[in-house]
Amino acid sequence: MAENIVWHDHKVTRAERASIKNQKPCLLWFTGLSGSGKSTIANALDVALYQRGYHTFLLDGDNVRHGLCRDLGFSDEDRVENIRRIGEISKLFADAGLIVLSAFISPFASDRRMVRNLFPEGEFIEVYLDTPLETCEARDPKGLYEKARQGEIRHFTGIDSPYEAPSHPEVRLDTSVMSVDACVESLITYMVFRELITR
Ligand code: ADP
């Protein structure tokens, strides 16, 4: 642990950086089982926000697991460290004034709480993809459930590794009964209601 680091006082605040773009920084944290629709909905919301003129950034397994977290696996310990790093990166992007969308299974409530605690009240929006396991498994977009059932993948969330459902998510979406457009619509409505965006 480095002890001699002196934090410089930033002259430009995060609010000032964000005000250049007429937006409020925040983090939308998508959590849910594999195949529940996190990437699909986060990407669709990303497009919708871009079309409205907002500056966003999307973090997901593809751009994080191959770089920042490529040294980490899927043990409980590595999952905790994975989420810690993603939380810190999300915070830096929010400090830069951006609307951040992060899509990770993030199965442990304590990890999600750790990320929530990095953000001011109201700027961490937990979006729980509450899609039933049966639907996720039937979709199996990456063939991972099949492999997990056959024991080829161990510690797979929902099969032989737990998922702790959020008790008080800001937004709950079940993509077995809601279309992609309907999910995006409800997220936009929520963001307008919370005055994170205006249009
Ligand atoms: P995750 O990121 O949670 O692992 P993905 O978004 O990668 O999930 O996969 C969800 C799959 O379900 C995709 O293949 C998507 O096309 C499909 N799907 C079907 N209906 C919906 C819906 N209403 N919302 C989101 N995804 C849906």
Side-chain angles (χ1 to χ4, degrees):
M1 205 57 91
E3 286 174 8
N4 298 317
I5 296 172
V6 178
W7 289 100
H8 291 276
D9 278 340
H10 289 289
K11 297 277 189 298
V12 185
T13 67
R14 69 204 298 268
E16 286 163 343
R17 287 183 207 285
S19 72
I20 293 174
K21 298 173 179 298
N22 285 316
Q23 63 185 43
K24 286 189 185 167
C26 63
L27 169 60
L28 289 119
W29 186 271
F30 294 80
T31 174
L33 297 171
S34 178
S36 60
K38 299 180 297 297
S39 298
T40 303
I41 304 302
N43 272 285
L45 178 66
D46 197 31
V47 171
L49 290 171
Y50 172 78
Q51 287 171 341
R52 285 166 167 77
Y54 291 105
H55 191 170
T56 61
F57 194 71
L58 174 64
L59 291 165
D60 64 16
D62 287 344
N63 60 13
V64 169
R65 278 275 177 195
H66 295 305
L68 178 72
C69 298
R70 72 175 167 209
D71 56 321
L72 301 176
F74 290 89
S75 65
D76 285 3
E77 203 176 45
D78 279 5
R79 282 179 194 264
V80 173
E81 175 59 11
N82 189 45
I83 297 304
R84 190 193 68 79
R85 289 186 200 175
I86 292 160
E88 294 288 351
I89 287 285
S90 298
K91 183 173 185 300
L92 290 175
F93 277 115
D95 284 347
L98 306 193
I99 296 171
V100 186
L101 298 89
S102 296
F104 300 90
I105 297 175
S106 48
F108 305 128
S110 57
D111 296 350
R112 299 191 300 262
R113 197 174 320 118
M114 170 178 72
V115 179
R116 183 186 285 275
N117 289 338
L118 293 174
F119 283 76
E121 184 78 32
E123 289 186 19
F124 177 90
I125 298 111
E126 191 171 41
V127 182
Y128 173 31
L129 275 291
D130 190 9
T131 308
L133 174 64
E134 308 81 70
T135 305
C136 299
E137 192 165 357
R139 287 176 180 164
D140 207 5
K142 297 172 194 153
L144 298 176
Y145 283 99
E146 174 82 29
K147 286 187 180 160
R149 288 288 183 198
Q150 289 175 1
E152 289 171 34
I153 304 176
R154 307 301 303 271
H155 308 298
F156 195 75
T157 304
I159 306 297
D160 59 350
S161 187
Y163 177 80
E164 298 170 4
S167 49
H168 297 94
E170 274 72 15
V171 181
R172 183 189 299 266
L173 303 169
D174 177 352
T175 65
S176 70
V177 292
M178 285 174 81
S179 68
V180 175
D181 286 350
C183 291
V184 170
E185 189 67 39
S186 70
L187 287 166
I188 294 283
T189 302
Y190 178 84
M191 292 178 80
V192 170
F193 178 65
R194 288 285 161 198
E195 298 181 350
L196 294 165
I197 57 174
T198 55
R199 53 191 184 275

